Amino acid sequence: MALWTVFEPDAAADESPAQRADRLVFVREAMARGALLLAPLVLLRHRLWLAFALYVLVQGLIGAALAVLDAPASAGLLMLLPNLVVALELAALRRASLERRGWREVGTVSADDIEAGERRFLEAWLPEAPVPAAPPAAAVRPMPAGVLGLFPEAAAR
């Protein structure tokens, strides 16, 4: 089960709850595995400009320190340290960015995937407007009498 924190911007007075629901942002509370190798792109994708600038500055400082200290090539692994920090703290960075821009936290939800999380949150948040149900699964046929498991009984001999 995954956990998401839900944020919404300040609502206009004439907005309906359904219109407000369209603007909700779900922030997953987990490690961002993609940021382990592509941290700068992940930061840019989420428009975390200040965090990106800090990332570039830290990478530059680590690179300069390794060059000045004439460190061995294996010390270059230190360049991955900021990526690890971004991967672990991306959710916190996104929450802080949304709160700084005036968004407010309206709740949390736990579900297997984002679609189920959205459905669960909106069913509780919008009780007067039910969320349409998922299409029904294939109809189940009743089993004929005399069938055990998947194999029918042996024919009369």
Side-chain angles (χ1 to χ4, degrees), residues 17-96:
Q19 291 171 328
R20 289 176 47 211
D22 284 339
R23 299 185 337 165
L24 293 176
V25 173
F26 288 73
V27 178
R28 183 164 186 194
E29 301 296 326
M31 184 176 90
R33 287 178 258 139
L36 287 173
L37 293 176
L38 303 171
L41 298 177
V42 170
L43 291 172
L44 291 175
R45 177 181 176 268
H46 292 293
R47 297 181 178 162
L48 299 170
W49 310 117
L50 187 58
F52 175 73
L54 183 63
Y55 174 86
V56 170
L57 177 69
V58 168
Q59 286 288 53
L61 290 174
I62 291 173
L66 291 177
V68 167
L69 296 174
D70 197 28
S74 61
L77 290 175
L78 288 175
M79 298 292 282
L80 292 177
L81 188 61
N83 290 25
L84 180 63
V85 171
V86 169
L88 293 173
E89 295 297 324
L90 183 63
L93 290 170
R94 288 188 66 199
R95 284 192 314 268

